[in-house]
Amino acid sequence: VTKRPGLFDSRIIYVAATGTRTQPVKRIAIMNWDGTDHSYLTQGEVTVASPRLSPDGEHVIYMSFAGGIPNLRIMDADGSNDRQLLQSTSMSFAPRYSPDGRTIAFSMAVDGNTDIYVVDENGGYPRRLTTTPGIDTSPSFSPDGRQIAFESDRSGTQQIYVMSADGTGQRMIAFDVLGSGV
């Protein structure tokens, strides 16, 4: 109406859960912010999680349990052209787009260690950013794309860390001194 960009993203992507507790059906769904134009992008034959819409709204990255282990898949925002992002048998999860949409950060478990990786939006060979023993997960780019925040238990408990987008300068930025959970 005002010819100005809206205050909210125009589309919401989420996992719609139906079925029963013993036989859940989880599908990726997309809709406008006001609930209109709702559609399912996956059919529910495989459990899915963590859908993320690309910044340009053209693609969706998500985690699928196809083949029995979590792996990242990417598709067009209309549900077409669904394909595996990585050619790997390792468990991959927790995807996030960079602000420009050209890079995807994610976690991957290899040989008992979970680290943060990045890969081009079209797939290819992932580049490992963290190497410390422990579970490094939930990467998220800063708005300018120059840093990545993530969670890690490398100190013995789950803490928040930040690093440059190339993996350098890893440092803890929040910690729980007294075990209070804060």
Side-chain angles (χ1 to χ4, degrees), residues 32-106:
N32 291 333
W33 69 271
D34 62 358
T36 61
D37 199 23
H38 183 273
S39 64
Y40 293 107
L41 303 182
T42 59
Q43 301 307 309
E45 64 279 354
V46 175
T47 298
V48 294
S50 305
R52 306 286 185 232
L53 195 58
S54 64
D56 64 5
E58 297 294 318
H59 300 99
V60 175
I61 184 88
Y62 69 100
M63 185 181 73
S64 168
F65 283 85
I69 63 165
N71 62 79
L72 297 181
R73 298 189 65 82
I74 190 167
M75 68 175 129
D76 294 343
D78 64 2
S80 65
N81 199 22
D82 190 341
R83 63 208 179 275
Q84 190 166 328
L85 181 68
L86 307 168
Q87 299 304 314
S88 172
T89 57
S90 296
M91 180 172 47
S92 55
F93 53 96
R96 291 284 186 173
Y97 276 100
S98 63
D100 65 8
R102 289 189 243 166
T103 305
I104 297 167
F106 62 96

